[in-house]
Amino acid sequence: MSRQVLGVQEVDTAAEALRIAEFAKFKPAYYLDEINEIQINGSSWRMLASVEIENSEEEHFLAVMDKWTLSAETIIPPVERTVVDDLNKTQEPSHNGADLGLVNSHIRRTLIPKRKGKDCWLKEDVVVSKLDSSKYVQFIPRVTNPSDIPFYYPQVATYGFGYIRTGADCTACTLVILVRELTIGSAVATKKQRSVWQDLVKKLYKWTVTERFGYQKHSEHDVIIGYEQYTAKYHQLKAKYAQRWVEGWPEQTDPKKFVYEDIAIASWLVCLWEQDTVAQDNRQPTFVDLGCGNGFLVYLLTSEGYNGYGIDQCARKIWTQYDCHVDLRAQTLEPFNFVTNADWVIGNHADELAPWVPIVAANSTSPSTKFVVIPCCPHDLSGKKMPLKANAGQSKYHIYVKYICDLSEQCGFITEREYLRIPSTKNVAILGRARTHGNHRESIAKLCESGQSDFVARIPDSVKNKLSMEKAKQRGHKPALPAE
């Protein structure tokens, strides 16, 4: 049986093992608390970080610079896209970009931010130059006043990356980050600014190593939902819901993680369901969210006009703050006996219910029920955690993703994957929107039968807390406060 897998490439595990071994050699030097001023071609620069790199050539470094030049959003997250205004390989920039050697190329580009109504666009020069056996790439903001530099851009007059040949025979190589500050210390004035430079030198090293081994993209974003469609919906929902709930989050969990992550997932689902609505003669799809937790995703989808409900073992404090039309049900679910007629079955970090999501969808009373599951911690059909072992080029998480895809296939679904743009490393959405031909009732029944004989529902946190307090009381200890 063939599997349709979107957004995934097979991994060359041997090459991946070599690449990871090179990553382990990353030993940077940072100059954030001290001023390390160096002279290059008669001009002064402050070096913020450096790292030695083995066996990587000039073209590997320049390939990374090309990607960062054409797509600034890969290193400056608040930037939505990059527009190249002019490419001139002979004309030097008007404000002396040749001070790092002979200019090889000069590009003018515009950075377009995500928050178009709040943040300004920025025009910028990118200058590639050669000095002796070293290469430098400068990024120069084209502003008349330093105060015109937007918040998302480094607070510098210019910054750059260097590939410097060192040693008597120029065989050793060092990657560096250089800046010209607006004022002394302006580039490293905050903790966030410091972490940005630390992250950049790490990315520069890893990307250069990866170019040496031949870049192999493991995942592809925006396969099912286009980037512009998704980001437009995300910014719409973020403006609508984020501030209220981040400021008024009643749980002890981090609101920034849950609010923004669920807004991102809801945005993607709404875009997906807008396609689904067209396919269903303008009838909006219904849904059930298994293991809905704090219920925020159900709240968002309901608020956007979709009918559905969420199920979890126990109610959360936040449930009482949602509008009365948000349907959240506290009950212990036996997935092998659960039947729904919803159009979509959702499992968003649903723990022990995650592998059951495609089975529940396949057992639906409607032959057209679809599913989407975003797995997190690995559980099998018994509800127990799976002891997985990572391999080179294949993490435990991706082994678990494959396990759920295999279950989906056994249920007769054509399986799709999408790497979501959410603030989580567990960001794979597995979908079943179409089914293969043939009768899969027997394999579905066997999955339910094996699961039913072994499945043990998770003990609710409220029960765990009560048992813990009782045990502590028996021992004469002061019990800890119960978790939310």
Side-chain angles (χ1 to χ4, degrees):
M1 182 183 299
S2 63
R3 178 190 301 158
Q4 177 185 350
V5 179
L6 300 181
V8 179
Q9 300 290 334
E10 292 299 323
V11 176
D12 182 340
T13 55
E16 187 70 4
L18 291 172
R19 192 168 70 99
I20 291 172
E22 288 297 316
F23 286 174
K25 298 177 182 179
F26 175 69
K27 295 180 179 178
Y30 299 115
Y31 310 100
L32 305 177
D33 295 316
E34 59 185 280
I35 295 180
N36 184 13
E37 186 173 309
I38 63 173
Q39 296 290 320
I40 302 175
N41 200 29
S43 59
S44 296
W45 292 82
R46 178 177 179 178
M47 182 186 295
L48 295 182
S50 66
V51 61
E52 293 184 2
I53 189 167
E54 298 177 359
N55 303 317
S56 290
E57 300 297 331
E58 177 184 290
E59 64 259 27
H60 303 142
F61 167 76
L62 291 177
V64 175
M65 293 295 100
D66 283 344
K67 290 175 180 177
W68 290 7
T69 298
L70 298 176
S71 301
E73 56 272 22
T74 58
I75 60 170
I76 309 178
V79 172
E80 181 180 272
R81 59 193 174 95
T82 307
V83 176
V84 174
D85 303 314
D86 183 39
L87 174 60
N88 189 325
K89 291 189 176 294
T90 57
Q91 179 185 339
E92 295 181 7
S94 58
H95 37 30
N96 191 23
D99 55 0
L100 285 177
L102 178 67
V103 172
N104 293 148
S105 68
H106 170 214
I107 293 174
R108 282 185 171 168
R109 66 179 187 176
T110 300
L111 308 185
I112 301 176
K114 293 176 179 176
R115 303 190 309 174
K116 297 179 183 62
K118 292 186 177 181
D119 303 324
C120 63
W121 295 20
L122 179 68
K123 291 190 176 294
E124 186 185 31
D125 284 307
V126 182
V127 181
V128 180
S129 57
K130 184 177 180 66
L131 181 63
D132 298 326
S133 56
S134 302
K135 281 279 188 178
Y136 298 93
V137 181
Q138 296 179 69
F139 296 83
I140 309 166
R142 297 176 61 197
V143 294
T144 55
N145 191 307
S147 62
D148 295 332
I149 297 176
F151 90 95
Y152 58 79
Y153 194 83
Q155 299 302 297
V156 295
T158 178
Y159 72 97
F161 303 97
Y163 175 88
I164 302 176
R165 292 279 189 182
T166 56
D169 55 359
C170 290
T171 55
C173 300
T174 302
L175 302 175
V176 299
I177 296 180
L178 306 168
V179 298
R180 278 186 174 147
E181 297 182 292
L182 297 171
T183 57
I184 296 176
S186 64
V188 292
T190 67
K191 183 178 180 181
K192 185 173 182 179
Q193 287 174 328
R194 290 164 176 254
S195 68
V196 165
W197 299 119
Q198 290 172 334
D199 184 56
L200 272 178
V201 74
K202 186 175 184 179
K203 279 186 177 180
L204 178 60
Y205 180 88
K206 285 191 170 186
W207 284 46
T208 305
V209 167
T210 299
E211 286 294 336
R212 172 187 153 203
F213 285 100
Y215 180 63
Q216 184 180 18
K217 197 166 188 177
H218 298 168
S219 62
E220 190 73 48
H221 293 275
D222 316 315
V223 174
I224 297 172
I225 303 299
Y227 175 75
E228 291 189 358
Q229 180 187 6
Y230 163 76
T231 52
K233 182 61 68 176
Y234 174 74
H235 290 302
Q236 177 190 344
L237 297 193
K238 180 182 174 184
K240 194 172 179 181
Y241 300 107
Q243 183 176 356
R244 171 194 169 187
W245 288 103
V246 167
E247 294 177 354
W249 192 252
E251 304 286 348
Q252 292 183 349
T253 51
D254 181 7
K256 290 185 178 179
K257 169 178 169 51
F258 287 98
V259 171
Y260 291 118
E261 183 172 324
D262 281 355
I263 287 176
I265 294 171
S267 302
W268 184 80
L269 283 173
V270 169
C271 291
L272 181 71
W273 290 351
E274 285 174 350
Q275 295 178 356
D276 199 38
T277 300
V278 174
Q280 297 190 32
D281 298 326
N282 292 323
R283 182 180 69 81
Q284 287 191 324
T286 57
F287 71 92
V288 56
D289 184 359
L290 305 183
C292 65
N294 57 43
F296 192 60
L297 181 60
V298 176
Y299 160 78
L300 291 169
L301 296 174
T302 303
S303 299
E304 289 303 301
Y306 294 92
N307 293 321
Y309 62 98
I311 300 175
D312 204 272
Q313 273 193 323
C314 55
R316 305 295 201 275
K317 182 192 298 183
I318 194 173
W319 286 15
T320 61
Q321 297 195 17
Y322 298 138
D323 299 332
C324 60
H325 61 277
V326 178
D327 189 352
L328 298 169
R329 307 175 187 182
Q331 66 182 76
T332 298
L333 192 70
E334 293 183 337
F336 43 83
N337 286 329
F338 182 74
V339 178
T340 181
N341 63 352
D343 295 311
W344 283 84
V345 180
I346 301 172
N348 173 26
H349 294 183
D351 292 338
E352 73 276 8
L353 295 178
W356 282 97
V357 170
I359 302 172
V360 169
N363 265 333
S364 166
T365 57
S366 169
S368 61
T369 293
K370 307 171 181 66
F371 78 86
V372 58
V373 57
I374 306 168
C376 184
C377 303
H379 293 78
D380 59 22
L381 293 177
S382 71
K384 298 176 183 176
K385 287 193 173 182
M386 298 176 67
L388 300 176
K389 185 177 180 181
N391 301 316
Q394 199 171 35
S395 67
K396 292 181 181 180
Y397 178 66
H398 286 89
I399 293 172
Y400 184 52
V401 166
K402 183 179 182 299
Y403 167 74
I404 295 182
C405 287
D406 289 340
L407 290 175
S408 168
E409 197 172 77
Q410 292 178 58
C411 293
F413 287 100
I414 296 174
T415 307
E416 303 171 85
R417 300 187 205 180
E418 176 82 293
Y419 284 76
L420 303 180
R421 295 182 178 277
I422 61 176
S424 172
T425 56
K426 310 295 176 64
N427 64 338
V428 177
I430 304 168
L431 295 88
R433 296 191 289 173
R435 308 194 189 197
T436 58
H437 298 293
N439 190 342
H440 299 275
R441 301 312 305 175
E442 184 177 346
S443 61
I444 295 170
K446 286 182 179 180
L447 290 173
C448 287
E449 184 180 347
S450 64
Q452 183 172 2
S453 61
D454 298 327
F455 185 78
V456 178
R458 180 168 56 91
I459 299 174
D461 291 338
S462 58
V463 176
K464 286 182 181 179
N465 290 331
K466 185 176 180 180
L467 292 173
S468 176
M469 294 178 73
E470 288 178 352
K471 288 181 180 179
K473 187 176 181 180
Q474 290 172 2
R475 293 194 301 266
H477 295 164
K478 186 177 179 181
L481 292 174
E484 289 290 341

